Amino acid sequence: MSEQPAPAPSPATSAATVNENAIDGSPADGSPLPAGLADALKRDSAGLVAAIVQQFDTHEVLMLGWMDDEALHRTMTTGRVTFYSRSRQEYWRKGDTSGHVQWVKSLAMDCDGDALLVRVDQVGAACHTGSRTCFDGRELDAVVGHGG
């Protein structure tokens, strides 16, 4: 990924967030998310949930990224999509270096709580390769099924 990371929260900011969230009903474990949402998410062993990014008006699937509670909180409260980089182990906000910004239009959680759908208005390419989507030109041969 060619994006630069968004700044990670400072310890002072994180502590303030935890204290404020204790008042508004967030979980005691320090998650910045509302308690109901934090409890409903099913994270992998690294604390991450898959985030499918879709263009809000054309419904193109643009990319898949990963979010922890903090990345989801930043996405929910800033209007820009923030991911957690598994390879670099740091936050990155889409478009900070490339200008290919993802403006949040809506967020949804799937029925199992193990995936998010982030509908965005994508400015420029979504893929770090410069393609409109991370799926352009990557079709696989498959038998096409027919409904009955």
Side-chain angles (χ1 to χ4, degrees):
M1 291 179 213
S2 61
E3 299 293 333
Q4 292 297 314
S10 69
T13 303
S14 295
T17 302
V18 170
N19 291 337
E20 288 171 11
N21 287 335
I23 296 168
D24 74 6
S26 290
D29 68 1
S31 173
L33 300 173
L37 175 56
D39 294 341
L41 283 176
K42 292 188 180 107
R43 300 156 194 84
D44 69 9
S45 61
L48 302 174
V49 62
I52 302 159
V53 181
Q54 180 183 46
Q55 176 64 32
F56 82 102
D57 52 357
T58 65
H59 307 291
E60 289 172 285
V61 176
L62 300 173
M63 61 177 287
L64 173 80
W66 296 92
M67 293 184 179
D68 65 2
D69 287 16
E70 179 62 29
L72 179 55
H73 173 73
R74 291 180 190 193
T75 299
M76 293 173 69
T77 60
T78 66
R80 298 258 318 264
V81 181
T82 298
F83 298 102
Y84 187 79
S85 170
R86 297 178 301 167
S87 60
R88 295 188 313 256
Q89 298 196 356
E90 61 189 9
Y91 298 104
W92 60 279
R93 189 169 64 178
K94 188 70 175 165
D96 277 353
T97 58
S98 66
H100 298 168
V101 176
Q102 293 175 337
W103 297 106
V104 176
K105 295 299 182 180
S106 67
L107 287 164
M109 180 174 53
D110 79 341
C111 59
D112 295 322
D114 62 359
L116 301 167
L117 178 61
V118 186
R119 292 185 181 103
V120 302
D121 189 8
Q122 175 71 49
V123 176
C127 187
H128 71 279
T129 65
S131 295
R132 170 72 182 161
T133 85
C134 291
F135 302 97
D136 284 347
R138 293 169 181 87
E139 291 78 16
L140 302 175
D141 290 333
V143 172
V144 177
H146 300 282

